[in-house]
């Protein structure tokens, strides 16, 4: 797992005004943020660091479960496409795709 983030780490928070919605770092005072068009997009952007970390942990857990499976019984094959999709999503999120 890549422990050195290239993105701005979380936590991120959604801030709503009368005529704006912005996502900003939640643990420091800053005047920088990401403007979004709607609250739904803001929630997804704010959750991105947590989603990335969770997906990295899930990928590692699936790979470990496949490796530790004594009989395997096709576990590697059944999880192969899932691991590939997770790997592609992680690469995209990290700007590596």
């Amino acid at each position: 797992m890549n422990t050195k983030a290239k993105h701005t780490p979380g936590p991120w928070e959604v801030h709503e005004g009368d005529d704006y919605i912005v996502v900003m770092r939640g643990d420091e005072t800053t005047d920088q943020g990401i403007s979004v068009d709607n609250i739904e997009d803001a929630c997804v952007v704010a959750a991105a660091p947590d989603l990335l970390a969770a997906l990295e942990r899930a990928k590692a857990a699936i790979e470990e479960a496949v490796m530790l499976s004594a009989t395997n019984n096709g576990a590697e094959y059944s999880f192969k496409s899932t691991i590939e999709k997770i790997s592609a999503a992680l690469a995209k999120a990290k700007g590596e795709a």
Side-chain angles (χ1 to χ4, degrees), residues 5 13 18 24 26 31 38 49 52 63:
E13 295 178 351
D18 291 335
M24 301 174 76
D31 60 354
N38 58 60
L52 178 61
E63 289 173 335

Side-chain angles (χ1 to χ4, degrees), residues 45-97:
V45 171
D50 297 328
L51 292 169
L52 178 61
L55 193 56
E56 287 176 329
R57 286 192 299 273
K59 180 179 182 255
I62 291 169
E63 289 173 335
E64 184 176 353
V66 168
M67 274 188 357
L68 294 177
S69 177
T71 58
N72 209 352
N73 290 332
E76 183 176 2
Y77 177 78
S78 67
F79 285 115
K80 184 176 180 183
S81 67
T82 301
I83 292 171
E84 287 171 354
K85 288 176 183 177
I86 290 172
S87 296
L90 288 170
K92 185 175 182 180
K94 295 177 181 180
E96 299 169 354

